[in-house]
Amino acid sequence: MTIDAETMTRDNELGGGAAIAAVAAMIAVLFAGSTALTPLYVIYKQAFGFSQITLTLVYAVYVVGNLGALLMFGRLSDVIGRRPAALASMAIAVVSASLFLFAENVAWLDVARILSGLGVGIGAGTGTAWLAEMVESEDKSRAAIIATSTNFVGLGLGALVSGLLAEYAPWPLRLTFAVYLAVLVVVSALIWRTRETVARPGRLADVSMRPRLSIPGDFRAAFVAPAVTGFGAMALVGFYAALAPSILAQQLHVTSHAEAGALFFELSIVTAATIVATARLPSRASMLAALVLMVPTVVLVVAAQILASMAVMIAGTALCGVAAALGYRGGLQVVNQIAPADRRAEVVSAFFVCCFCGNALPVIGIGLLSSWTSSTTASLAFAGMITLFSLVALGFGAKYAR
């Protein structure tokens, strides 16, 4: 009795729940790499002797990789297959982690952050599409919930584990990435065994590199509310990921790297739990609720700095998690609903560009302002921007985004 190679390959592949778990783990571990630096920024700042504005730029260049993945490689996995694209994203993550492991100056950090953003951008899009094809149900919202909640779980675990290692283990700027590389290898092995869902994968040469990004004229007014909501939600997440450890050390006099990581872990876990718990909440209601919640969120964050209160910061972080979850999920679903079917991919891509810009641009602005004035003044300006954007988006949302 003989068994051909193709049959043996199918028998060794992961399918069903194991395949879903493997892809979810890939999404989580890729996003974990993007926040592993969160508790380490303060250490890098001291070790490499750079300023607060340089810190924010190191954080923000991550978006360059995100945008490159979105605009240039958005259809990669559709053409060459989910598994090859996923393995490519993991390989990019390995190179990024290796650069962090041996980093000697800011230039190394910048290149590593750009590659991290590129790997996450390719892997997240691939993983989300892969999950949608694996979930045995006509209702693909379950796949979206798995992808988005796993995204934030990974973000939280990356910051938490990095903070714990930095606080309680030796070699804080090395050990974190050595551990992360080991995890990447394990998850890559699982992805290697996960079944392919693209029936006839093509060649890399068939991938179009032409960016497709536009908003049809008839839908631009309706697009404003979800776009601003996504921008604001990711601005809040970016504020915590880049600046929370510095704020804790300077304004709240909390110097523990573990506590800095735990604060972002709180934000991420609340966000993931809210995404799951509010899955049945209508998209428009979710979006509008997020816009309303953003205002008290930034009020609490600024109040925590003025009062030097960790308790207020923890409360603000929890509210930020709820607002970010409702804003990201609600905004994305509204965009999917209002976009014309033949232009949906382009409009959704435009939404993600708004999210990426929200994640980076306000952080750069805060870094500039804090170097000219004070961290509290910069946070007040950030709070004013979020409040203004929320009010504008509420107006457009109430009128157009139905």
Side-chain angles (χ1 to χ4, degrees):
M1 180 178 179
T2 61
I3 301 175
D4 60 45
E6 184 179 352
T7 302
M8 290 180 64
T9 300
R10 283 199 302 267
D11 290 342
N12 289 328
E13 285 181 344
L14 298 178
I20 291 173
V23 176
M26 178 195 74
I27 294 173
V29 75
L30 285 172
F31 277 99
S34 71
T35 54
L37 261 72
T38 294
L40 305 181
Y41 282 124
V42 174
I43 306 177
Y44 276 119
K45 189 176 177 181
Q46 295 171 345
F48 294 166
F50 54 73
S51 65
Q52 185 72 6
I53 183 59
T54 301
L55 184 155
T56 57
L57 289 173
V58 169
Y59 173 82
V61 293
Y62 168 83
V63 175
V64 174
N66 284 155
L67 291 174
L70 177 66
L71 298 177
M72 309 302 291
F73 300 104
R75 295 189 62 250
L76 180 66
S77 70
D78 292 335
V79 177
I80 69 172
R82 309 301 182 206
R83 181 163 53 193
L87 290 171
S89 72
M90 297 297 282
I92 293 169
V94 167
V95 175
S96 171
S98 299
L99 288 173
F100 281 126
L101 179 62
F102 298 108
E104 296 180 355
N105 53 48
V106 174
W108 288 61
L109 299 182
D110 285 335
V111 175
R113 283 287 289 170
I114 292 171
L115 288 175
S116 176
L118 181 63
V120 168
I122 295 173
T126 299
T128 301
W130 211 353
L131 286 172
E133 293 159 351
M134 287 178 176
V135 172
E136 297 177 356
S137 169
E138 293 184 2
D139 180 12
K140 297 304 181 184
S141 63
R142 177 173 169 242
I145 290 171
I146 293 172
T148 52
S149 59
T150 304
N151 166 344
F152 282 100
V153 168
L155 290 172
L157 287 174
L160 179 64
V161 173
S162 174
L164 290 172
L165 291 175
E167 185 67 23
Y168 301 113
W171 317 299
L173 300 182
R174 311 293 181 190
L175 185 59
T176 293
F177 298 104
V179 171
Y180 183 55
L181 279 168
V183 175
L184 284 172
V185 170
V186 172
V187 175
S188 296
L190 294 175
I191 292 299
W192 181 268
R193 294 186 55 204
T194 302
R195 68 180 177 88
E196 179 59 71
T197 55
V198 174
R200 298 179 184 277
R203 301 171 304 163
L204 185 61
D206 299 327
V207 178
S208 172
M209 303 290 284
R210 183 173 64 88
R212 296 186 63 187
L213 185 71
S214 67
I215 306 164
D218 295 343
F219 295 88
R220 286 175 186 168
F223 181 77
V224 170
V228 174
T229 305
F231 183 98
M234 291 300 102
L236 291 172
V237 173
F239 177 88
Y240 272 87
L243 302 170
S246 297
I247 290 172
L248 290 181
Q250 295 170 10
Q251 271 76 46
L252 277 67
H253 311 295
V254 175
T255 57
S256 168
H257 305 303
E259 289 189 49
L263 189 71
F264 192 81
F265 180 75
E266 177 201 349
L267 168 66
S268 301
I269 293 303
V270 170
T271 303
T274 302
I275 288 173
V276 175
T278 62
R280 296 187 181 276
L281 185 67
S283 57
R284 183 168 175 270
S286 175
M287 180 186 73
L288 295 178
L291 291 169
V292 171
L293 289 174
M294 286 179 189
V295 178
T297 295
V298 291
V299 169
L300 285 175
V301 170
V302 173
Q305 295 179 61
I306 294 173
L307 300 173
S309 170
M310 191 63 181
V312 175
M313 180 62 86
I314 290 172
T317 302
L319 193 58
C320 178
V322 175
L326 295 176
Y328 181 72
R329 183 185 69 81
L332 178 56
Q333 288 182 344
V334 167
V335 167
N336 271 319
Q337 290 164 3
I338 66 175
D342 60 337
R343 305 286 294 277
R344 182 166 289 121
E346 295 173 59
V347 178
V348 169
S349 294
F351 172 80
F352 283 129
V353 167
C354 293
C355 291
F356 293 152
C357 289
N359 192 244
L361 296 181
V363 168
I364 296 174
I366 294 170
L368 286 169
L369 276 177
S370 62
S371 65
W372 296 334
T373 57
S374 68
S375 296
T376 303
T377 302
S379 295
L380 279 168
F382 174 73
M385 180 203 74
I386 291 293
T387 300
L388 179 60
F389 278 26
S390 297
L391 294 175
V392 171
L394 279 169
F396 275 88
K399 186 174 182 180
Y400 295 107
R402 296 183 181 280

